[in-house]
Amino acid sequence: GLKEGRRVRLENNDLEATEKYFPDYVISAGATVRQSNVNVSFGQEYVNISLMGVHPNYTEVETVKTADGRFVNQNDLKERRKVIVIHKKTADILFGKTHTEPIGQFVNASNVVYQVVGLYNDKGDSGDSDAYIPFTTLQTIYNKGDKLNNLVMTTKNLETIEANEAFEAHYRKVLGANHRFDPTDHSAIWIWNRFTNYLQQQ
């Protein structure tokens, strides 16, 4: 009875449901939320980047190699700390000229001050225009309500393609109940399962 083509926006309660209903299969669950086009400055230098609000488990799923300092942790999330992890290239632009050690410095992002706690490296050029901050901090500062962009999880006890497909079907049912979509409608939410991809390639 709902209109065709509506966008399903994931929310915090989907993350809670992921942790609550699938303890046998989900090792860790987190979420991401993005704010694009943010000017981050230090002294006279600035760079325009995207802020990604993440959970600590993000590095288990995506290629984010911490080069120095640390990544976002559980306490950052709980206390909505204003901490930031930036790419080494971003650090070079902001701190290179003044030969300042980035870790521990404070940068300004749209009049919000964040402390740099880590630098990261990644493979190739993809993603160096992102900076990572705690998920809860971004949701609060940018008034995202309880909306999020993606759910990110690592799984266990799903050894076959069939087991993964059964898990995904069950997962769609739980989220479908939250958002009133038909779990068999695969265009309602998009699931990318790297393990199934891997098994198929084998």
Side-chain angles (χ1 to χ4, degrees):
L2 294 163
K3 99 172 177 294
E4 194 184 329
R6 74 189 169 101
R7 188 173 166 210
V8 174
R9 289 294 307 269
L10 297 172
E11 296 165 351
N12 289 352
N13 61 2
D14 297 314
L15 175 59
E16 286 151 24
T18 305
E19 291 170 320
K20 181 176 160 189
Y21 292 113
F22 302 99
D24 296 341
Y25 301 117
V26 173
I27 302 168
S28 73
T32 70
V33 62
R34 174 184 284 273
Q35 182 70 22
S36 304
N37 263 335
V38 180
N39 281 334
V40 175
S41 64
F42 177 78
Q44 299 301 304
E45 305 301 323
Y46 79 94
V47 61
N48 185 281
I49 53 178
S50 292
L51 293 182
M52 282 276 283
V54 294
H55 282 68
N57 80 327
Y58 189 79
T59 53
E60 293 161 25
V61 180
E62 299 295 342
T63 319
V64 182
K65 299 251 190 310
T66 308
D68 203 0
R70 64 173 181 82
F71 197 67
V72 170
N73 66 30
Q74 212 53 49
N75 282 341
D76 297 332
L77 230 65
K78 213 165 63 202
E79 297 170 17
R80 292 189 169 85
R81 288 183 186 158
K82 296 187 182 76
V83 294
I84 191 166
V85 178
I86 58 176
H87 195 275
K88 283 195 85 156
K89 286 183 191 167
T90 305
D92 288 343
I93 296 166
L94 294 177
F95 303 105
K97 276 187 190 165
T98 52
H99 305 293
T100 310
E101 165 58 39
I103 305 290
Q105 294 299 327
F106 291 90
V107 295
N108 191 318
S110 320
N111 295 323
V112 180
V113 176
Y114 295 89
Q115 185 170 29
V116 179
V117 292
L119 303 180
Y120 77 95
N121 255 337
D122 61 81
K123 292 195 285 195
D125 290 329
S126 63
D128 62 356
S129 61
D130 282 346
Y132 300 101
I133 70 172
F135 175 84
T136 46
T137 308
L138 195 148
Q139 240 187 4
T140 307
I141 286 174
Y142 291 98
N143 298 326
K144 301 285 184 187
D146 61 354
K147 300 284 183 269
L148 51 93
N149 287 34
N150 292 305
L151 289 165
V152 179
M153 70 183 92
T154 48
T155 57
K156 61 186 176 184
N157 304 330
L158 299 169
E159 304 301 329
T160 62
I161 291 176
E162 295 71 37
N164 278 278
E165 283 172 352
F167 166 75
E168 285 178 33
H170 186 193
Y171 192 72
R172 285 179 192 280
K173 251 192 188 125
V174 169
L175 263 58
N178 277 354
H179 294 280
R180 295 169 65 203
F181 65 77
D182 180 345
T184 60
D185 176 4
H186 281 207
S187 61
I189 55 165
W190 181 71
I191 296 177
W192 185 31
N193 185 331
R194 286 199 176 128
F195 192 55
T196 310
N197 281 9
Y198 166 75
L199 290 172
Q200 283 160 347
Q201 281 163 8
Q202 299 306 301

